[in-house]
Amino acid sequence: MPRQDLLHISVEDLVTFTNRGTVNRASREIDAGEPACELSEAGDGTIDAKWSDGVTCVLPGAKTAREGRCTCPSVTMCRHLVRTILKYQRSAANSAATPVAPQEPWDPGEITDEALRQQVPKAMLARAQKQFQDGVLLELVRGVKPTALLHGLSINVRFMVKGDLRYAHVDCAPQMAPQIAALVVWAFRLLPKEKRAGMVSSGSGKQPIPEATLSAVEKTVDEWLEHGLSAAPEHFAANLSRLSSECVREGLFWPADIVDALAEQFQRYSARDALFMPELVVELLGELLIRSDAIRSATPAVPQALVRGTRDDRPLELGQGRYVGLGCGVHTLKKGAIINVFMQDADSGMVVAVTREFADPADPKHKPLDFNRLAQTSVVQSTPLQALGQGVLLTAGGKRTPARRLITARTRCAVNPQAFSWEQLKEPVRVDSFDELRERLAAMPPSALRARRVADNFYVLKVASVKDGRFDPPRQITLATLLDGDGQSVTLQHPYSLRGRGGAEALLDVLAKAPESIRFVAGSVRLTTDGLTICPTAVVREANGVRSIVQPLVDGFSGKAVMAGTTQIAPAEADPVASTLRETQDALSDLLVLGLRRADAPLTRRMIDLSQRTGASGFRRLAERLKRLSAELERKSHAARWDGQAACEACKELLVLVRMGEELI
């Protein structure tokens, strides 16, 4: 009987045993047929390989591939053992007498407790049971190579061989790996059988509902809506600070993070800071209300640990670290822009971001700077944002926020160039299978109920080929179809903007002239009605063995412009859904600054007009709430005494609808 464990080990699995350089060298030697090998297999599954270069390798039948022996001096898994495995796989594939079981999706939850007891030491199994009972939040994917991500701990687990816990790769300290693997097996049993992917949370019993804290949250929102920022009472800032502390005491870490962000915006408004961004206030209040409702209802549809956050979702002081640049993202706002430099921590695999905010010039005579110019702003040791996005950051200290924003120390850090060997990036950020990514995203709850990560849904796609690269003039967008090794597709979408025209030209130039050179695309991935789409922050290409990067959002371009003379079309023509939501957001932004008590006739007329237009466009729920709100504001202008509770409720419903609508654009 052939060794099914050896036959089902992939090249990527071998890389986790050693390193990519060793695997590549061993593969080249197998392809060349030199050195030659005399291979034999005993009845107990032991493999003996005698190589013509004088090396002998043994893969014992009762042990794993990593426990093989070689006569060379290496104390780790050497290339001789790797090429022995590759030789065995190719010999089996060429032999009609050696049946190779096809690889099919499987469920690690099928591993029995008896198997766990045989492979995990008793004391370690007891610690795993306690950790599981205390509660762990996991993201699970069943497949040919099932995976698990332990949130908070940021530990990834990958099962390489069906039913064999010994081949579970856990990216943590080796002494903890069996414990984590056992915990993940139990977690897979919590995932409904009909689902291929999903979020689960272990732990016994339901968490108590902190009614007093949730009531304080709602009272704070009501107070904000009633008075607005322009007439906020003197105690408002202190109330926000107390509310944040109360949320932390009750274990509501993500609501506390939202309250802190609201306090920052309030402080900016009070200081007349140009970085005050009212549209962010609308998003934050909407999300705070959504999370409060989910906590109060104790919905089983989404794990409470995901809605509330965990103790790991708190600021963390960092030691030495190495971060690989994955390109720059740009988030445009009504009166500013935010640039995020996305980077993967080489140790943990988590994606963090170095962030800078930019306010547009107050004087309308001065146009906002292009994104390429903004990206020349120095952030680390005189290194611009753009250069950081394509470099490697080395730090000896710093801080990571709950949203995984990286705050570097002013000293003790350096930025080096990188060779863009993104095959070495850690999973699940690096994606080889688009189909598996599709399953993972389909199982995710809305972003307003997920972890509040700046790099939420950020992935690096390994690309086998690219086709149909083009610029779509009616939509003002660059499009292309990315294919993985199995022929599954992801649509690349890069909206054109005047401020980012240089990077858009650079991307289109690569797609037009050398699409076959593209190796990786990094960016935010979403599951839409059209399938998977990615908005790229970086495109890695290879020419003559040398790799380079294009950052479509912040790069410049000195070649011949393909889109010369292009101008942006009006947002309403480009996307009526996005336009309607943005108009509603703008109106709510002004209301949150002015307050319901001080809402004037122009704002009331604006609400009336907006309700009519949204209704005509088919946005029934938005139109109904806007109509209720405008009716209450009209009644206020004629009433000697006005109770604003009905208007406040309509406002809160609008905030929730607008935040939920962010999933659509």
Side-chain angles (χ1 to χ4, degrees):
M1 185 68 181
R3 290 277 299 271
Q4 295 295 332
D5 62 331
L6 299 182
L7 296 179
H8 289 163
I9 292 174
S10 68
V11 170
E12 293 302 320
D13 297 337
L14 291 173
V15 170
T16 63
F17 296 163
T18 173
N19 59 69
R20 191 166 296 277
T22 297
V23 174
N24 288 344
R25 183 178 177 186
S27 182
R28 287 194 299 270
E29 291 176 350
I30 292 293
D31 291 338
E34 289 292 339
C37 177
E38 181 183 332
L39 203 64
S40 63
E41 182 174 1
D44 64 352
T46 298
I47 310 297
D48 283 284
K50 296 181 180 179
W51 295 91
S52 59
D53 59 0
V55 174
T56 299
C57 297
V58 178
L59 299 172
K63 296 185 178 181
T64 67
R66 284 173 287 193
E67 298 173 283
R69 302 189 300 271
C70 179
T71 56
C72 78
S74 177
V75 295
T76 60
M77 190 169 187
C78 60
R79 81 175 193 279
H80 309 113
L81 287 171
V82 173
R83 74 188 186 194
T84 299
I85 295 171
L86 294 175
K87 178 67 175 179
Y88 182 74
Q89 291 176 342
R90 298 192 186 189
S91 297
N94 295 329
S95 173
T98 306
V100 180
Q103 297 195 62
E104 297 178 349
W106 64 285
D107 183 3
E110 297 171 355
I111 297 176
T112 64
D113 287 340
E114 178 61 29
L116 292 179
R117 284 191 288 270
Q118 291 177 359
Q119 298 179 24
V120 182
K122 184 177 180 180
M124 195 171 290
L125 201 60
R127 289 197 296 270
Q129 288 176 331
K130 183 180 185 307
Q131 187 177 7
F132 186 75
Q133 292 168 358
D134 289 343
V136 182
L137 179 63
L138 304 98
E139 178 184 338
L140 307 176
V141 180
R142 295 182 176 123
V144 174
K145 306 280 185 178
T147 61
L149 170 62
L150 281 72
H151 284 248
L153 298 175
S154 296
I155 295 176
N156 298 302
V157 181
R158 185 169 183 260
F159 293 88
M160 301 177 186
V161 177
K162 181 177 181 179
D164 196 334
L165 194 69
R166 300 173 304 167
Y167 282 98
H169 175 68
V170 186
D171 61 355
C172 66
Q175 60 269 28
M176 282 188 61
Q179 174 181 329
I180 297 298
L183 184 153
V184 170
V185 167
W186 295 325
F188 267 102
R189 298 175 186 174
L190 301 178
L191 185 65
K193 292 292 185 182
E194 67 276 9
K195 291 187 176 182
R196 183 174 174 182
M199 303 286 302
V200 300
S201 179
S202 69
S204 56
K206 293 184 177 180
Q207 293 179 277
I209 300 174
E211 285 288 353
T213 302
L214 295 177
S215 297
V217 167
E218 190 162 346
K219 182 180 178 181
T220 299
V221 175
D222 290 346
E223 189 173 23
W224 195 310
L225 290 170
E226 180 182 1
H227 299 288
L229 291 172
S230 60
E234 294 182 0
H235 62 266
F236 193 67
N239 281 357
L240 289 173
S241 178
R242 283 195 295 270
L243 181 59
S244 174
S245 299
E246 187 175 346
C247 286
V248 170
R249 283 197 301 273
E250 294 292 344
L252 308 182
F253 298 103
W254 288 133
D257 187 62
I258 297 172
V259 172
D260 289 340
L262 286 168
E264 181 182 38
Q265 290 299 320
F266 177 72
Q267 183 181 17
R268 288 179 177 180
Y269 177 83
S270 302
R272 304 295 187 267
D273 191 332
L275 289 176
F276 167 67
M277 298 171 182
E279 60 267 54
L280 288 183
V281 176
V282 174
E283 293 181 13
L284 291 167
L285 287 175
E287 183 174 335
L288 185 61
L289 291 169
I290 291 171
R291 287 185 187 267
S292 296
D293 287 346
I295 294 168
R296 183 175 273 117
S297 67
T299 173
V302 183
Q304 284 291 304
L306 194 62
V307 179
R308 302 181 183 212
T310 67
R311 292 197 174 275
D312 295 302
D313 299 317
R314 304 177 75 175
L316 178 68
E317 296 294 330
L318 301 174
Q320 292 184 345
R322 180 175 178 270
Y323 302 88
V324 180
L326 304 176
C328 295
V330 178
H331 180 41
T332 55
L333 300 166
K334 186 177 180 181
K335 296 182 179 179
I338 300 173
I339 295 183
N340 292 304
V341 180
F342 295 102
M343 316 189 86
Q344 185 178 55
D345 184 338
D347 292 328
S348 69
M350 73 171 56
V351 176
V352 299
V354 175
T355 301
R356 288 295 181 271
E357 298 177 340
F358 300 92
D360 292 343
D363 188 346
K365 295 180 180 179
H366 297 100
K367 294 182 179 180
L369 293 176
D370 288 350
F371 298 144
N372 176 250
R373 291 282 303 279
L374 293 180
Q376 304 311 311
T377 303
S378 297
V379 285
V380 178
Q381 297 291 302
S382 301
T383 301
L385 290 161
Q386 182 190 30
L388 189 62
Q390 60 187 29
V392 176
L393 173 64
L394 305 175
T395 67
K399 183 178 180 181
R400 191 182 72 221
T401 70
R404 293 185 177 171
R405 298 187 189 276
L406 181 63
I407 302 173
T408 59
R410 294 187 178 183
T411 58
R412 300 185 300 166
C413 56
V415 180
N416 296 330
Q418 63 165 306
F420 308 109
S421 300
W422 285 7
E423 293 90 350
Q424 300 176 17
L425 295 175
K426 290 183 178 292
E427 296 178 305
V429 173
R430 194 199 77 245
V431 174
D432 299 328
S433 170
F434 297 171
D435 188 52
E436 184 176 303
L437 177 58
R438 185 178 295 105
E439 294 284 347
R440 181 183 298 133
L441 295 182
M444 291 294 100
S447 60
L449 295 175
R450 293 202 296 265
R452 303 191 71 247
R453 310 292 194 205
V454 65
D456 189 36
N457 284 0
F458 187 95
Y459 295 96
V460 177
L461 308 185
K462 185 178 180 181
V463 178
S465 62
V466 180
K467 64 179 184 179
D468 301 331
R470 68 193 188 281
F471 181 69
D472 184 7
R475 298 170 60 188
Q476 298 283 282
I477 193 169
T478 297
L479 297 169
T481 300
L482 313 177
L483 300 174
D484 66 5
D486 297 324
Q488 299 294 320
S489 65
V490 170
T491 301
L492 180 149
Q493 294 185 354
H494 178 69
Y496 174 83
S497 68
L498 289 174
R499 298 178 69 183
R501 56 187 176 273
E505 292 280 7
L507 173 62
L508 196 60
D509 186 68
V510 173
L511 291 173
K513 296 179 180 178
E516 73 285 350
S517 69
I518 295 177
R519 298 290 178 265
F520 294 92
V521 177
S524 177
V525 182
R526 298 177 61 215
L527 186 59
T528 69
T529 54
D530 296 327
L532 284 180
T533 63
I534 183 169
C535 181
T537 61
V539 175
V540 170
R541 56 179 302 199
E542 183 174 347
N544 300 320
V546 178
R547 291 185 177 181
S548 58
I549 188 173
V550 173
Q551 300 183 75
L553 289 163
V554 299
D555 274 357
F557 185 67
S558 58
K560 183 179 179 180
V562 177
M563 297 176 287
T566 302
T567 57
Q568 279 189 290
I569 54 180
E573 296 176 49
D575 188 342
V577 174
S579 177
T580 299
L581 289 171
R582 289 289 176 252
E583 283 190 74
T584 307
Q585 186 184 62
D586 287 346
L588 289 173
S589 298
D590 293 343
L591 183 60
L592 289 171
V593 172
L594 196 60
L596 289 169
R597 290 286 177 186
R598 301 179 64 195
D600 52 14
L603 183 57
T604 302
R605 288 195 297 270
R606 183 179 176 187
M607 292 291 181
I608 294 172
D609 178 64
L610 189 56
S611 68
Q612 293 172 347
R613 286 188 287 112
T614 53
S617 300
F619 295 91
R620 183 177 58 83
R621 293 186 179 182
L622 273 180
E624 192 271 331
R625 271 72 172 182
L626 285 166
K627 185 177 180 180
R628 279 169 43 196
L629 176 59
S630 56
E632 285 297 316
L633 293 179
E634 278 192 311
R635 192 169 65 83
K636 177 176 73 75
S637 62
H638 304 293
R641 293 184 178 181
W642 180 68
D643 181 4
Q645 189 58 39
C648 189
E649 291 301 320
C651 266
K652 288 190 287 188
E653 291 177 17
L654 282 168
L655 289 169
V656 169
L657 287 174
V658 169
R659 179 61 184 86
M660 291 173 62
E662 292 292 323
E663 305 291 324
L664 304 175
I665 58 177

